[in-house]
Amino acid sequence: MRLILFGPPGAGKGTQAARLVESFQIPQISTGDILRESKAAKTPMGMEAARYMDAGKLVPDDVVVGIVEERIKKPDAEKGYILDGFPRTVPQAEALEAMLEKNGTPIDKVPSLEVPEDILVGRLSGRRSCPSCKAAFHVEFAAPTQEGICDKCSSSLVHRDDDLPDAVRERLRTFEDQTAPVKEFYEARGKLVRVDGVGDVNDVFERLSKAVKS
Ligand code: AP5
């Protein structure tokens, strides 16, 4: 099963992808996580990418397409994967389609988590992230047992640079301008399935699982 989990910043892609990984036993491939790891490791690519990410802008297409091309060749992705945060522009979607057509391994479905903008802002501004195991918490909706500490791996939680108010506004604008057309790209190919992303995390997962299996 090859999936693209689509949705605006804060829609719950990371939260739901972690559950899909357990349910389908396929890896999550998050370009955001890969870029943040490169930033933390201070690689030249990571330092360059950080300039775009911290300002809420998209990293250039050739960088992220290269990352995904390398990642999906790894043995753990042979049986499928969940792309999270990619593709984010129509040129990225076209590059992915060409890549997968060459291998005869097309995308099966593109579930799109639908969440109104005011809810997205509340989710992003209260998010606390684990830089080690990537778990996402929320000061109000999904608070960790001990403040500032990851329940899963005990690392210190961080407030992402791009979850600060100016960057959140810019990310939502960037989504509307550059990423929303990707939805039409997959709708035209009959792969898009809309999923209501509002409500309890377990209820969203139930709707998402049904959509994926439909
Ligand atoms: P990326 O890391 O992909 O960020 P994003 O798409 O903006 O998504 P988020 O991680 O912010 O949100 P999410 O949908 O995963 O929500 P989450 O589950 O955490 O990208 C970051 C940056 O990297 C980009 O801005 C760009 O610069 C760069 N980049 C990455 N990919 C790129 C690409 N392909 N091309 C170019 N640049 C790229 O949930 C959010 C919060 O809500 C959490 O606190 C969570 O606990 C809470 N929550 C989740 N579900 C619920 C619920 N049902 N009810 C209440 N709270 C909930």
Side-chain angles (χ1 to χ4, degrees):
M1 174 83 78
R2 284 172 295 275
L3 300 173
I4 294 171
L5 191 49
F6 187 82
K13 301 184 296 296
T15 302
Q16 297 298 337
R19 289 161 180 251
L20 288 173
V21 166
E22 289 209 357
S23 175
F24 289 91
Q25 297 291 305
I26 49 176
Q28 169 197 14
I29 300 180
S30 158
T31 40
D33 284 347
I34 296 171
L35 290 166
R36 274 185 293 280
E37 275 163 20
S38 307
K39 177 185 166 186
K42 295 192 165 44
T43 65
M45 186 272 275
M47 300 299 281
E48 172 70 5
R51 287 184 24 231
Y52 297 93
M53 297 168 76
D54 295 350
K57 298 192 182 307
L58 295 184
V59 173
D61 288 340
D62 56 338
V63 175
V64 280
V65 168
I67 288 174
V68 170
E69 193 159 21
E70 281 306 304
R71 180 62 186 84
I72 61 176
K73 281 185 200 150
K74 297 207 170 154
D76 67 332
E78 241 169 51
K79 291 206 182 101
Y81 44 78
I82 304 147
L83 288 173
D84 162 5
F86 180 93
R88 244 176 163 99
T89 63
V90 170
Q92 289 180 20
E94 288 167 346
L96 178 68
E97 190 172 63
M99 209 187 287
L100 299 183
E101 252 171 29
K102 207 167 59 189
N103 306 336
T105 53
I107 290 295
D108 295 301
K109 276 211 172 87
V110 183
S112 167
L113 291 172
E114 312 273 315
V115 179
E117 185 164 325
D118 55 332
I119 294 183
L120 296 174
V121 172
R123 286 187 184 178
L124 292 171
S125 48
R127 173 168 54 186
R128 297 295 179 270
S129 308
C130 177
S132 304
C133 74
K134 320 296 178 212
F137 297 86
H138 191 282
V139 289
E140 195 182 333
F141 311 130
T145 313
Q146 196 186 338
E147 198 186 322
I149 303 294
C150 177
D151 283 353
K152 296 192 178 141
C153 73
S154 304
S155 299
S156 294
L157 299 176
V158 298
H159 192 182
R160 272 170 45 177
D161 292 333
D162 61 350
D163 280 347
L164 297 172
D166 282 352
V168 166
R169 272 191 292 274
E170 183 61 28
R171 284 162 67 198
L172 293 172
R173 239 191 330 260
T174 302
F175 178 82
E176 280 312 317
D177 293 347
Q178 292 177 260
T179 308
V182 172
K183 205 163 148 177
E184 288 153 34
F185 181 94
Y186 288 108
E187 186 142 52
R189 284 155 177 75
K191 306 229 161 157
L192 193 89
V193 265
R194 288 184 173 76
V195 177
D196 179 1
V198 180
D200 183 82
V201 171
N202 294 323
D203 295 341
V204 175
F205 184 64
E206 207 169 296
R207 291 194 286 269
L208 176 61
S209 300
K210 264 194 203 142
V212 167
K213 290 173 188 157
S214 66

